[in-house]
Every structure is written in C-alpha cells, then in structure tokens.
C-alpha cells in the first residue's frame, strides 16, 4: 500500500509539473499571475513558494580568418540559475528572487565581485492588470532583453542587445495592462539608480525608463509575445509592437547599468523599438536600438581609456516550427558605430542559422547554431577580422 500510494503521488506530481512546464517565463512581471515549477503552500494558505531552476550547457567554436590559427573553444555551463517566486500573507504581496551561479552570469569581469543576486523584487498587485514593483529587476527596455534567456531560440541574444541593452537596476516600477476597444496595451515605467546591480551606494543621478506595447490582434497564447518562436502555433495572426526610451543621468558605469566603472559620470540615452509576429508556426521579430552620449570617451578607475558604444543597431529573426518540435531559424544583425567612435569600431554584421529540437517547449531543448561575422561589409575570407563559428547548447529547467 505504501509503495502504491507513493507511486500515485509521484505520478500526480510529474503530471502537474508537465502541465506547468509549458508556461512562458517573463522576467519583467509579477510571476504570481503565472504559477509554475515546484510549489509549496502553507496549511493556512498565507505563504506560497514556487521553486525553479535551469541550466545551459554549451560547446562553442570560433575561428578568426586572419591567416593564423586563432581557433577558440568554449565548453562550460553558460547559465545556472535558481528562482523562487511566491507571496506572503496575501497574493497581493508577491516576490521574485533569482540567483546566478556561473562567473559569466555574475558581471564579475566588470565589477570584480561575484554578483550572485540577479533579481530581488517585491510586487504589490492592486489587480490583475496593475502592479508596482520595488527592488532589483530588469528594466522595461527592449523586448529581447526583458525576454528570459530561457525563452530564446538562439543560444544568445543578438549583438544589438549586447551593445545597447539597459539591463537590470534597483528602483521602483509601475505596470499597467488595459484595452483600447478590443486592443490590449501595456504601459511600463521605472525610476532606478542607474548603476545596475554591482553597487552599494549611488550618486544623485537617476535613470528614467518607459515602455509601451500595442497588441492590435489581441493577446498571444500563453504570453507568447515574450517567447521566441511560435511554439503555441497561433491559430490567428498575433502582433505586438513596442517601443520606449531610457535616460540615465550621471551614470558612473560605461554603459549605464553595465560595463566598467569610470571616472567621469555621463548622461546616456537609449531609444528602442521592436515588434513580434506569430502565426501557425511562423514567427518574425525585429528590434531597433540607438544609444547617444555627448562625449563617448572616458577613463576607467585604473586610468585606461574606454568608450561608450555610441551608435545604433537592428536585429531581425525569422523561424518556422515543424512537426515533432523541430524549428529552423535565421537571424541577421548589424550594429553601426557613430562617427565619434569610428576610429575604434567597425560596422559589424552577423548572419546566423539555427536548428532547435524542443522536447518540452523551452524547458528542455537542444540548440545548434552556426554564424558568420563580417566587418565593414567585406563578405570574404580575406578580411582579418571576419569570423565564423558554431554553438551547441542544451537547456534544461523547470
């Protein structure tokens, strides 16, 4: 009887886990509205905890076409994260904590300390469509950055995101979701410190970020507007158009919330616009970002000359999901430096192709990506700075 009961409970637990595992993950929202993972509730229902983890294991190869043997291999755990969400006393007061355990995920190279805490934010949910947040979390910036790294159809985000993203910060945010007629829209705004997640103190300059999203054909299935690829196979066309702006006043880091610490505080502004379309297994997304600063040149704390990547970039991705969970995807990305930093930076383009096998949506998938990086438009193997490579990655999580 004991063995039978245990097996029954185990079967039910696995079934519940598989039911929740298909839910999409949003790093910018109060996840109390979207339960998933391993769940615990107190007997009096005053406390609830939702535990999850995920890891990304990868092998990556890069070859620089400079006539020398500049092969690079990367074999490592790219990400290992644990996340806890829940509520205390009432579902109106919820929280989200996310921890990172790999060096590449801790901002170690720029800050010199292991920044284990990625998210530590408290939400107050006034209603299902309006909540505020207080703490450290992702800013309401470009879509691909706010999108969880666990929901990507390529092993990494684009170089547009890498060069211009505003990333995480500590502050207070407000999030509103309503409708104009039958069209849903989302408004998001945050006031934050402007120095990211690696500081104990900050100056009197703050960062101000706002974002708006319009969904003219209605809501995506299962929050699919923040998940790459049409895994839900939308039965009707779905479109989300978003855009926003961030102004970081007197930041002491090179790229605002990220990068090396610098001697002279600067004002940075970042403009972003994006869209995602899905229908019947087909998906397309595009993202534009632009950063501006009066004088991009600065010095780090050791006196070395550094500079802000001033300029703009565009990323485009297209994909189709075949039967049995196979997806083909293509990506074209370019970043174009401003004339102020042209002596230091070249226009960069990347062509990428991806093959993904989804075993359980984004929670268990196998990814194989190939890419070709081009400098200043010279599509030939004689350009010293051009590169090609591939990445194989396995993601597993709950």
């Amino acid at each position: 009887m004991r063995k039978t009961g245990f097996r029954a409970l185990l079967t039910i637990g696995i079934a519940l886990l598989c039911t929740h595992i298909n839910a999409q993950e949003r790093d910018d929202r109060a996840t109390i509205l979207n339960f998933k993972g391993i769940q615990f509730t107190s007997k009096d229902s005053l406390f609830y905890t939702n535990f999850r983890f995920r890891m990304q294991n990868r092998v990556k190869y890069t070859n620089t076409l400079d006539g020398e043997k500049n092969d690079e291999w990367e074999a490592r755990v790219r990400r290992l994260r644990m996340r806890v969400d829940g509520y205390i006393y009432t579902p109106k007061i919820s929280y989200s904590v996310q921890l990172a355990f790999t060096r590449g995920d801790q901002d170690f190279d720029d800050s010199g300390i292991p920044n284990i805490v990625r998210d530590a934010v408290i939400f107050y949910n006034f209603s299902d469509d309006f909540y505020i947040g207080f703490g450290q979390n992702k800013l309401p910036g470009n879509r691909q950055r706010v999108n969880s790294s666990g929901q990507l159809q390529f092993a990494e985000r684009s170089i547009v995101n890498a060069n211009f993203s505003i990333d995480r910060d500590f502050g207070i945010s407000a999030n509103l979701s309503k409708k104009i007629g039958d069209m849903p829209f989302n408004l998001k705004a945050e006031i934050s410190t402007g120095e990211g997640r690696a500081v104990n103190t900050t100056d009197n300059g703050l960062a101000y970020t706002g974002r708006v999203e319009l969904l003219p054909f209605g809501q995506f299935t299962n929050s699919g507007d923040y998940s790459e690829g049409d895994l839900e196979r939308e039965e009707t066309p779905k479109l989300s158009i978003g855009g926003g702006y961030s102004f970081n006043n007197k930041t002491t880091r090179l790229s605002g919330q990220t990068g090396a610490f610098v001697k002279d505080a600067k004002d940075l502004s970042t403009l972003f616009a994006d869209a995602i379309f899905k229908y019947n297994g087909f998906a397309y997304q595009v993202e534009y970002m632009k950063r501006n600063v009066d004088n991009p040149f600065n010095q780090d704390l050791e006196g070395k000359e550094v500079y802000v990547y001033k300029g703009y970039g565009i990323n485009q991705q297209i994909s189709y999901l075949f039967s049995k969970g196979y997806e083909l995807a293509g990506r074209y990305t370019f970043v174009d430096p401003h004339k102020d930093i042209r002596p230091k930076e070249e226009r960069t383009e990347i062509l990428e192709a991806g093959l993904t096998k989804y075993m359980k949506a984004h929670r268990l998938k196998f990814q194989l990506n190939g890419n070709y990086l081009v400098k200043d438009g010279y599509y030939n193997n004689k350009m010293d700075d051009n590169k090609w490579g591939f990445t194989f990655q396995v993601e597993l999580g709950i």
Side-chain angles (χ1 to χ4, degrees), residues 3-284:
K3 289 185 177 180
T4 303
F6 174 78
R7 288 173 181 173
L9 289 173
L10 182 61
T11 301
I12 293 172
I14 292 174
L16 288 171
L17 178 59
C18 290
T19 299
H20 290 289
I21 206 169
N22 287 316
Q24 307 296 351
E25 182 173 332
R26 291 280 296 273
D27 278 352
D28 69 327
R29 296 194 61 175
T31 54
I32 195 68
L33 304 178
N34 191 14
F35 294 147
K36 53 186 178 290
I38 300 174
Q39 305 175 38
F40 301 93
T41 305
S42 63
K43 293 182 179 180
D44 56 8
S45 298
L46 293 179
F47 301 92
Y48 166 83
T49 296
N50 176 17
F51 172 81
R52 286 173 287 164
F53 80 91
R54 62 185 176 90
M55 61 181 177
Q56 295 176 346
N57 294 347
R58 75 166 51 161
V59 175
K60 181 178 180 180
Y61 170 78
T62 303
N63 178 261
T64 303
L65 302 174
D66 58 1
E68 301 179 8
K69 292 184 177 181
N70 284 331
D71 299 344
E72 295 182 8
W73 284 92
E74 174 186 318
R76 60 172 173 145
V77 180
R78 172 61 179 90
R79 293 178 175 91
L80 175 61
R81 296 185 183 174
M82 293 187 182
R83 181 166 176 169
V84 181
D85 306 273
Y87 65 76
I88 296 179
Y89 297 120
T90 169
K92 288 184 176 293
I93 303 175
S94 59
Y95 62 89
S96 181
V97 176
Q98 186 171 192
L99 307 178
F101 296 98
T102 60
R103 173 168 174 158
D105 218 12
Q106 295 179 353
D107 198 19
F108 183 89
D109 293 338
D110 289 327
S111 64
I113 57 174
N115 296 286
I116 296 174
V117 179
R118 296 189 68 83
D119 298 320
V121 58
I122 300 170
F123 299 104
Y124 188 84
N125 301 275
F126 290 91
S127 63
D128 288 347
D129 53 20
F130 177 64
Y131 63 92
I132 60 173
F134 177 69
Q136 181 174 289
N137 199 14
K138 285 185 177 180
L139 293 173
N142 58 300
R143 186 184 302 272
Q144 193 171 74
R145 188 67 189 92
V146 176
N147 189 6
S148 169
S149 58
Q151 304 291 106
L152 304 177
Q153 60 187 173
F154 288 89
E156 285 289 0
R157 298 181 176 90
S158 75
I159 58 171
V160 173
N161 179 88
N163 281 281
F164 304 113
S165 172
I166 56 177
D167 206 69
R168 285 172 163 85
D169 212 350
F170 186 96
I172 184 168
S173 63
N175 303 265
L176 175 69
S177 298
K178 290 290 187 179
K179 287 186 176 181
I180 302 176
D182 293 329
M183 182 183 71
F185 70 90
N186 303 312
L187 297 178
K188 309 173 185 183
E190 182 160 350
I191 300 175
S192 59
T193 63
E195 267 71 49
R197 60 191 184 104
V199 296
N200 286 325
T201 59
T202 185
D203 55 40
N204 58 357
L206 300 175
Y208 308 88
T209 306
R211 177 178 172 85
V212 59
E213 298 169 355
L214 304 176
L215 292 82
F217 304 145
Q219 296 284 0
F220 285 64
T221 303
N222 203 15
S223 299
D225 47 332
Y226 275 84
S227 174
E228 295 186 354
D230 186 16
L231 274 65
E232 307 296 337
R233 289 192 171 274
E234 296 285 357
E235 295 182 358
T236 60
K238 295 295 172 63
L239 173 67
S240 177
I241 302 171
Y245 179 80
S246 181
F247 177 73
N248 197 334
N249 179 230
K250 295 194 298 186
T251 180
T252 57
R253 300 189 71 178
L254 189 63
S255 300
Q257 286 79 16
T258 60
F261 289 88
V262 293
K263 291 185 176 181
D264 299 323
K266 301 279 188 179
D267 292 346
L268 300 182
S269 63
T270 305
L271 176 69
F272 43 90
D274 51 66
I276 186 168
F277 173 84
K278 295 186 180 184
Y279 177 56
N280 196 30
F282 170 82
Y284 170 76

Side-chain angles (χ1 to χ4, degrees), residues 284-343:
Y284 170 76
Q285 65 186 67
V286 60
E287 192 163 75
Y288 167 86
M289 297 191 73
K290 182 179 181 180
R291 174 173 288 149
N292 189 44
V293 58
D294 289 339
N295 178 12
F297 293 95
N298 211 321
Q299 289 184 332
D300 64 18
L301 299 184
E302 296 179 354
K304 179 183 177 181
E305 183 184 74
V306 291
Y307 56 90
V308 179
Y309 196 106
K310 179 180 180 180
Y312 77 100
I314 296 176
N315 176 57
Q316 297 184 78
Q317 294 178 205
I318 189 170
S319 64
Y320 184 76
L321 181 71
F322 295 89
S323 60
K324 298 183 179 179
Y326 288 96
E327 179 191 71
L328 284 177
R331 177 157 75 181
Y332 170 69
T333 311
F334 77 86
V335 290
D336 199 9
H338 189 272
K339 63 181 181 179
D340 289 351
I341 62 170
R342 258 296 184 172

